[in-house]
Amino acid sequence: GESVGLHLPTLSVQEGDNSIINCAYSNSASDYFIWYKQESGKGPQFIIDIRSNMDKRQGQRVTVLLNKTVKHLSLQIAATQPGDSAVYFCAETYNFNKFYFGSGTKLNVKP
Amino acid sequence: DADVTQTPRNRITKTGKRIMLECSQTKGHDRMYWYRQDPGLGLRLIYYSFDVKDINKGEISDGYSVSRQAQAKFSLSLESAIPNQTALYFCATSNSQAPNEKLFFGSGTQLSVL
């Protein structure tokens, strides 16, 4: 039979605004986290990572925040551009054994 | 990532057929993975291999098998395809010697089972 997938959470922002994408992870022992960006028709691409001994890490226009108390990860994108439109996934791993992915958030950037 | 190549990019097949999806990498990474992506869902791990002689089941291995023919090649087989295996399949690699190990993905294979 035909499988029916879930609708992705969608975040719509105006070009130039800041975006915040959230992720709740499942394993309190996870010690490394990654944000991936997936554009239509492409595989996921690495954006930024953070280890569990850090609370914040900044890249170019992107910041990842980690709150281990509530097992929450967020990705902040500054001055969002049309090229940022994509699906964003968080991934977690413990001791680089296996990576587990969240279901993703779709970011729509309106011009 | 062009260093991780998946073939074919698209495949349509019928129920009961045997299908092989291939993945090759030029990154020199020791670890390789097969993931499945369904609409609105995250990536789910099918099988993974940490070395040529190492094969491990992931979350959803039933109905699939793999072969690690060489460090650079990791193929996924569906012995008897069924419609609910219609999905987007990704191969990924990682380097266990890297300080912070990351997954690098191929462009995916869209498989449709009729």
Side-chain angles (χ1 to χ4, degrees):
Chain A
E2 183 178 355
S3 64
V4 178
L6 301 172
H7 289 292
L8 275 178
T10 299
L11 174 66
S12 293
V13 300
Q14 205 68 39
E15 181 179 357
D17 287 351
N18 297 333
S19 302
I20 300 176
I21 300 171
N22 296 303
C23 174
Y25 64 92
S26 56
N27 185 358
S28 57
S30 290
D31 54 10
Y32 179 60
F33 305 86
I34 302 178
W35 278 101
Y36 282 92
K37 173 185 181 183
Q38 185 179 20
E39 295 174 282
S40 182
K42 297 183 179 179
Q45 291 184 300
F46 170 85
I47 302 174
I48 192 168
D49 58 354
I50 189 168
R51 300 207 69 152
S52 58
N53 60 353
M54 301 173 69
D55 297 324
K56 179 179 179 179
R57 188 151 191 250
Q58 288 184 291
Q60 191 175 17
R61 280 201 309 119
V62 293
T63 301
V64 55
L65 298 177
L66 175 63
N67 185 333
K68 294 181 286 294
T69 302
V70 294
K71 294 189 288 185
H72 184 267
L73 199 64
S74 69
L75 175 70
Q76 300 178 358
I77 304 174
T80 313
Q81 302 168 359
D84 295 326
S85 293
V87 176
Y88 290 81
F89 293 96
C90 65
E92 61 177 302
T93 185
Y94 169 66
N95 203 27
F96 300 110
N97 187 5
K98 289 179 284 186
F99 287 85
Y100 294 95
F101 287 80
S103 56
T105 296
K106 185 174 183 180
L107 177 64
N108 282 334
V109 181
K110 297 176 284 187
Chain B
D1 192 319
D3 298 324
V4 183
T5 302
Q6 291 184 233
T7 55
R9 287 298 310 273
N10 291 280
R11 182 72 184 266
I12 300 173
T13 191
K14 294 182 179 180
T15 298
K17 293 291 187 181
R18 185 178 188 274
I19 292 295
M20 180 180 287
L21 309 182
E22 304 202 33
C23 177
S24 62
Q25 52 118 344
T26 58
K27 300 185 79 69
H29 289 173
D30 52 337
R31 297 182 171 186
M32 297 187 74
Y33 309 78
W34 276 103
Y35 283 88
R36 167 180 172 155
Q37 185 176 39
D38 296 276
L41 298 178
L43 294 155
R44 292 183 291 166
L45 183 61
I46 306 173
Y47 269 96
Y48 61 104
S49 169
F50 282 176
D51 200 349
V52 175
K53 295 178 181 171
D54 176 73
I55 300 289
N56 305 282
K57 292 183 177 181
E59 306 166 70
I60 52 165
S61 59
D62 287 349
Y64 302 95
S65 62
V66 291
S67 174
R68 185 83 184 265
Q69 300 96 321
Q71 187 184 42
K73 295 183 183 294
F74 192 37
S75 60
L76 175 72
S77 293
L78 288 68
E79 297 302 324
S80 180
I82 56 177
N84 75 5
Q85 290 178 311
T86 293
L88 185 54
Y89 290 84
F90 286 105
C91 174
T93 72
S94 68
N95 177 11
S96 66
Q97 301 304 306
N100 287 325
E101 188 175 348
K102 304 173 183 53
L103 292 177
F104 293 86
F105 287 86
S107 298
T109 295
Q110 178 63 56
L111 176 66
S112 298
V113 184
L114 305 179

